[in-house]
């Protein structure tokens, strides 16, 4: 069941509208996103790179820059170790490109998802020693790798950690938490307790970019040279699903603004293979078209394939690699759909038994798509979900959570069942011995304090706004709210009781429903629902009126523009 809620946040919307030359509806939407006060509103609407914080405010940056500067000047070999997801690949590219361009002797290694697992480990350290590497620089990983970092120090390596994941902690007998930081030469992570950086919600690539800004300043180089990297940073920020607020929002806006002018041959090839260069590119394209292709390489082959694409200087080779990544992603989609079907069967069974946290075991599932499947199950049933599969040693997998359930914190309560784990409140990864599976399922559920009401999907409506109010100008103004993403979601409006005058069904799979609608004031507008026809017809029955949430768009067809609403949630009502 869904529970619909209407925001009731107060402000003088007419005054805000006049002051910033926006429609009062836009002013209300901004207030709903907790953007208050002239300074915040100004930055939300018109924020630019000059509003990004001084990177030297981040704990460890000053010390990290001093070490890095010395290593580059002395010609020491530096190896970047990143995660294998989009954020990791982009973080790696940002560090490699920035350091390489200033003469650094730099290379990289991305752990193999199947062989190495997440993050830095002893095998990677041994390889670095064998290759006579002087310094290891991590990005998007390392904060939870105390043992591996200590191993690196024992072998004489300089260790610089840059990360953005939650810092592990121990709890003493009094219940007081104490951070557990890796014993690196420098740890740069804005989530450290002692870090005073004003915006701690950056993704791994955001931390890497700020570190490089500081490095360029220390090297007395023009940091505007780094602006070419902003399009890559935008991809990582959207794909890592960090909050699209504050600095993240500015980075994505600035990156999107520059993306079609990118000089990166590989990125250009990836955009071209999806025919994006002729379209308006927004956050959706980054998160659901470009990003998944980068991810597919790390999931099904090696993430180094994607990184090498961004380092490619031959246009024909870049085109070929981009096409290969697209094909890999298409394969990943098929594998995911099959996995979701299997996982749903288990999920329904455990939910019926009363499990609040769904721990699903798919032994044949490719471990690289476990997180995607967990996310789909979470979205479908609104329960926290883990998907685990057989791995080289034991079982491993990923979890995705719902609001009100911090996955990382809850895993800390049962950490004895894992051989390795880490993550965020909303997503996590773990490894454990196969024999511990039932113990994990039992303990994670015994500790869960979620109640039945927490599993009802919450639909937060911005404004109860009849379709009669929609205009072309209002829709154009809605673009000032972009880019959309986590904590800056696409606005949701609602209309009570629209008459359904006609239903048309389109699409090869008959899953595009077009409704001809009419309001009580006589306004006619088309409404689109993307859903299986049989499911829709069953809900509709003989009803003639629909109450729905929607987002307004301009439909263009053969040069003719018309208003349309894309319906998100709905139910039918009698006359």
């Amino acid at each position: 069941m869904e529970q619909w809620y209407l925001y009731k946040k107060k402000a003088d919307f007419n005054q805000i509208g006049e002051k910033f030359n926006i429609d009062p509806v836009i002013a209300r939407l901004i207030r709903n996103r907790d953007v208050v006060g002239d300074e915040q509103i100004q930055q939300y609407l018109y924020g630019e790179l000059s509003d990004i914080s001084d990177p030297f405010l981040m704990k460890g940056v000053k010390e990290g820059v001093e070490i890095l500067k010395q290593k580059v000047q002395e010609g020491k070999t530096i190896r970047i170790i990143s995660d294998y997801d989009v954020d990791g690949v982009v973080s790696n590219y940002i560090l490699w490109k920035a350091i390489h361009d200033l003469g650094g002797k730099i290379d990289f290694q991305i752990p193999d998802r199947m062989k190495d697992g997440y993050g830095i480990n002893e095998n990677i350290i041994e390889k670095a020693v064998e290759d006579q590497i002087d310094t290891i620089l991590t990005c998007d990983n390392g904060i939870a790798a105390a043992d591996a970092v200590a191993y690196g120090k024992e072998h004489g390596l300089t260790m610089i950690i840059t990360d953005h994941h939650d810092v592990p902690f121990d709890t003493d007998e009094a219940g007081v938490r104490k951070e557990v930081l890796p014993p690196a030469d420098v740890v740069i992570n804005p989530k450290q307790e002692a870090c005073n950086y004003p915006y701690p919600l950056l993704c791994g690539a955001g931390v890497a970019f700020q570190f490089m800004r500081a490095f360029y300043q220390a090297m007395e180089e023009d940091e505007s040279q780094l602006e070419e990297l902003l399009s890559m940073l935008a991809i990582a920020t959207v794909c890592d699903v960090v909050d699209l607020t504050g600095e993240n929002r500015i980075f994505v806006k600035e990156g999107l603004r520059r993306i079609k002018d990118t000089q990166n041959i590989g990125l250009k090839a990836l955009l071209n293979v999806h025919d994006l260069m002729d379209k308006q590119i927004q956050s959706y394209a980054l998160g659901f078209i470009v990003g998944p292709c980068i991810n597919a390489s790390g999931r099904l082959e090696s993430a180094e394939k994607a990184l090498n694409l961004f380092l490619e200087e031959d246009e024909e080779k870049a085109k070929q690699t981009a096409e290969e990544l697209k094909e890999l992603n298409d394969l990943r989609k098929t594998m995911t759909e099959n996995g979701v079907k299997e996982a749903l069967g288990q999920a329904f069974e455990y939910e019926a038994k009363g499990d609040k946290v769904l721990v699903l075991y798919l032994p044949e599932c490719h471990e690289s798509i476990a997180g995607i499947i967990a996310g789909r199950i979470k979205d479908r049933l609104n329960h926290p979900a883990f998907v685990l599969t057989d791995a080289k040693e034991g079982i491993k997998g990923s979890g995705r959570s719902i609001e009100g359930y911090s996955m990382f914190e809850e895993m800390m309560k049962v950490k004895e069942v894992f051989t390795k784990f880490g993550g965020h409140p909303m997503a996590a990864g773990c490894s454990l011995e196969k024999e511990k599976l039932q113990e994990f399922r039992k303990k994670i559920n015994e500790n869960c304090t979620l109640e039945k009401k927490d599993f009802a999907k919450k639909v937060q409506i911005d404004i109860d706004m009849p379709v009669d109010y929609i205009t072309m100008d209002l829709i154009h103004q809605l673009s000032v709210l972009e880019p959309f993403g986590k904590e800056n979601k696409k606005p949701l409006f609602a209309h009570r009781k629209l008459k359904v005058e006609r239903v048309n069904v389109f699409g090869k799979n008959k899953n595009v429903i077009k409704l001809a609608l009419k309001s009580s004031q006589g306004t006619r507008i088309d409404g689109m629902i993307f859903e299986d026809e049989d499911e829709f017809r069953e809900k509709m029955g003989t009803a003639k009126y629909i109450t729905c949430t929607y987002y307004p768009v301009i439909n263009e067809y053969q040069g003719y523009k018309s208003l349309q609403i894309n319906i998100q949630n709905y139910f039918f009502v009698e006359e």
Side-chain angles (χ1 to χ4, degrees):
M1 280 292 291
E2 291 178 345
Q3 295 178 353
W4 291 18
Y5 298 90
L6 184 66
Y7 279 116
K8 294 181 179 177
K9 297 181 179 180
K10 305 292 184 185
D12 189 335
F13 303 119
N14 289 321
Q15 182 193 44
I16 293 171
E18 287 177 14
K19 189 164 195 173
F20 291 94
N21 196 29
I22 54 177
D23 191 290
V25 167
I26 304 297
R28 184 185 289 268
L29 293 169
I30 291 172
R31 174 65 186 91
N32 285 350
R33 280 139 190 77
D34 291 322
V35 179
V36 292
D38 289 357
E39 186 178 337
Q40 280 193 30
I41 294 172
Q42 178 71 25
Q43 189 190 81
Y44 183 90
L45 291 172
Y46 310 113
E48 52 191 23
L49 289 176
S50 60
D51 295 307
I52 300 295
S53 301
D54 179 351
F56 283 101
L57 294 174
M58 200 177 294
K59 185 177 187 296
V61 162
K62 181 183 177 184
E63 295 81 359
V65 162
E66 288 171 357
I67 293 173
L68 191 59
K69 182 178 178 181
Q70 181 183 349
K71 300 295 183 183
V72 169
Q73 290 173 340
E74 293 176 355
K76 301 292 187 183
T77 51
I78 303 163
R79 175 165 291 172
I80 305 166
I81 309 291
S82 69
D83 189 13
Y84 36 63
D85 67 357
V86 178
D87 192 21
V89 170
V90 171
S91 303
N92 203 320
Y93 174 74
I94 286 172
L95 293 175
W96 187 94
K97 175 71 173 158
I99 296 170
H100 172 269
D101 286 359
L102 293 195
K105 193 175 178 183
I106 187 116
D107 70 6
F108 61 82
Q109 182 182 352
I110 302 180
D112 182 278
R113 183 186 286 265
M114 306 287 281
K115 187 178 73 178
D116 299 309
Y118 170 76
I120 193 167
N121 58 45
E122 291 187 3
N123 291 335
I124 289 170
I125 298 292
E126 288 170 359
K127 179 76 164 57
V129 172
E130 183 183 313
D131 294 343
Q132 297 184 315
I133 298 298
D134 176 88
T135 299
I136 282 183
L137 171 58
T138 76
C139 50
D140 195 32
N141 81 100
I143 195 66
D147 291 344
V149 172
Y151 192 67
K153 290 302 298 172
E154 288 169 13
H155 285 74
L157 291 166
T158 298
M159 305 289 295
I160 302 174
I161 304 298
T162 78
D163 202 349
H164 74 115
H165 290 93
D166 290 353
V167 180
F169 60 86
D170 283 331
T171 307
D172 64 20
E173 293 177 1
V176 178
R177 293 184 181 186
K178 184 180 179 183
E179 280 187 334
V180 179
L181 294 171
D185 293 85
V186 176
V187 175
I188 300 168
N189 184 333
K191 289 181 180 170
Q192 295 177 81
E193 286 175 2
C195 184
N196 295 317
Y197 189 77
Y199 188 80
L201 303 178
L202 299 172
C203 67
V207 175
F209 183 81
Q210 286 293 75
F211 185 35
M212 290 300 94
R213 280 187 62 209
F215 178 55
Y216 269 52
Q217 290 176 29
M219 296 287 280
E220 298 182 350
E221 290 282 341
D222 181 2
E223 66 175 275
S224 68
Q225 297 173 69
L226 298 171
E227 290 183 15
E228 165 66 18
L229 300 172
L230 287 168
S231 294
M232 300 294 291
L233 174 52
I235 295 170
T237 303
V238 170
C239 291
D240 216 49
V241 202
V242 290
D243 292 2
L244 279 197
T245 58
E247 295 185 6
N248 285 336
R249 179 177 161 74
I250 293 171
F251 281 142
V252 175
K253 283 175 74 172
E254 293 290 337
L256 285 169
R257 190 162 65 81
R258 293 168 168 80
I259 195 163
K260 287 190 180 180
D261 298 321
T262 181
Q263 298 303 303
N264 186 288
I265 291 169
L267 176 56
K268 199 177 289 185
L270 204 50
L271 296 174
N272 277 323
V273 83
H274 290 99
D275 299 320
L276 288 172
M277 291 298 268
D278 297 326
K279 300 173 184 173
Q280 185 180 17
I281 301 176
Q282 289 295 353
S283 55
Y284 177 87
L286 305 187
F288 292 94
I289 300 174
V290 177
C293 288
I294 301 171
N295 253 336
S297 70
R299 293 184 189 282
L300 302 182
E301 286 192 10
S302 166
E304 292 189 4
K305 186 185 188 84
L307 183 50
N308 281 320
L309 170 64
F310 300 131
L311 299 177
E312 184 58 67
E313 295 181 356
D314 184 294
E315 290 187 4
E316 275 304 310
K317 288 181 181 177
K319 181 183 176 184
Q320 182 181 340
T321 303
E323 287 171 347
E324 289 171 3
L325 291 181
K326 185 177 183 295
E327 289 170 7
L328 274 178
N329 191 46
D330 290 340
L331 173 61
R332 189 272 311 162
K333 288 178 186 176
T334 301
M335 292 167 63
T336 300
E337 292 306 320
N338 294 334
V340 168
K341 288 176 185 174
E342 185 182 354
L344 266 177
Q346 286 187 33
F348 287 135
E349 180 185 332
Y350 288 122
E351 186 186 30
K353 288 180 179 178
D355 281 11
K356 298 174 179 178
V357 181
L358 304 172
V359 178
L360 313 173
Y361 174 50
L362 308 181
E364 302 298 321
C365 171
H366 196 288
E367 66 183 58
S368 68
I369 58 173
I372 304 175
I373 296 171
R376 297 278 186 88
I377 300 302
K378 181 266 298 182
D379 290 342
R380 175 77 179 265
L381 300 180
N382 211 48
H383 280 255
F386 288 89
V387 170
L388 303 166
T389 186
D390 286 345
K392 192 175 179 182
E393 295 178 2
I395 55 178
K396 66 189 297 188
S398 297
R400 297 294 182 268
S401 196
I402 61 174
E403 294 296 334
Y405 186 83
S406 174
M407 192 156 264
F408 180 73
E409 299 240 349
E410 293 298 317
M411 291 171 78
M412 285 294 295
K413 295 177 184 177
V414 297
K415 61 183 179 181
E416 68 278 2
V417 305
F418 305 116
T419 53
K420 195 175 181 183
F421 75 100
H424 308 278
M426 301 302 288
C430 62
S431 300
L432 59 155
E433 295 170 2
K434 202 168 186 177
E435 298 74 31
K436 296 273 189 180
L437 174 60
Q438 294 306 325
E439 182 185 351
F440 171 39
R441 178 179 287 123
K442 184 170 181 282
K443 285 186 174 180
I444 201 77
N445 274 286
E446 284 176 346
N447 279 296
C448 181
T449 58
L450 292 172
E451 299 176 16
K452 188 176 180 180
K453 61 180 175 60
D454 297 316
F455 304 123
K457 189 174 181 181
K458 297 174 178 63
V459 177
Q460 198 73 58
I461 299 164
D462 280 290
I463 305 174
D464 189 358
M465 186 177 81
V467 297
D468 314 87
Y469 193 87
I470 302 171
T471 63
M472 297 278 187
D473 180 61
L474 177 62
I475 292 174
H476 287 306
Q477 283 202 48
L478 285 171
S479 65
V480 304
L481 303 171
E482 295 174 353
F484 298 126
K486 185 171 180 277
E487 298 304 317
N488 189 50
K489 66 182 183 70
K490 186 176 281 191
L492 197 61
F493 304 98
H495 187 119
R496 305 168 194 259
K497 207 171 179 185
L498 281 161
K499 186 175 183 182
V500 181
E501 295 192 316
R502 190 171 60 258
V503 178
N504 290 316
V505 182
F506 301 95
K508 183 175 67 174
N509 298 318
K510 294 194 172 184
N511 58 356
V512 179
I513 317 291
K514 185 176 183 180
L515 308 179
L517 304 168
K518 182 182 177 182
S519 75
S520 59
Q521 301 300 309
T523 299
R524 283 189 162 85
I525 194 167
D526 287 335
M528 303 298 291
I529 297 175
F530 301 94
E531 182 179 80
D532 181 73
E533 180 188 10
D534 292 339
E535 193 175 333
F536 172 80
R537 297 280 189 190
E538 185 179 340
K539 291 176 187 174
M540 183 175 183
T542 59
K544 296 293 184 187
Y545 291 87
I546 189 171
T547 290
C548 63
T549 67
Y550 69 88
Y551 182 78
V553 296
I554 297 171
N555 180 46
E556 294 189 41
Y557 182 68
Q558 294 184 342
Y560 176 72
K561 295 182 179 181
S562 62
L563 298 174
Q564 177 182 295
I565 61 172
N566 288 346
I567 295 173
Q568 308 297 313
N569 319 87
Y570 68 92
F571 59 86
F572 288 99
V573 291
E574 298 302 324
E575 189 170 353

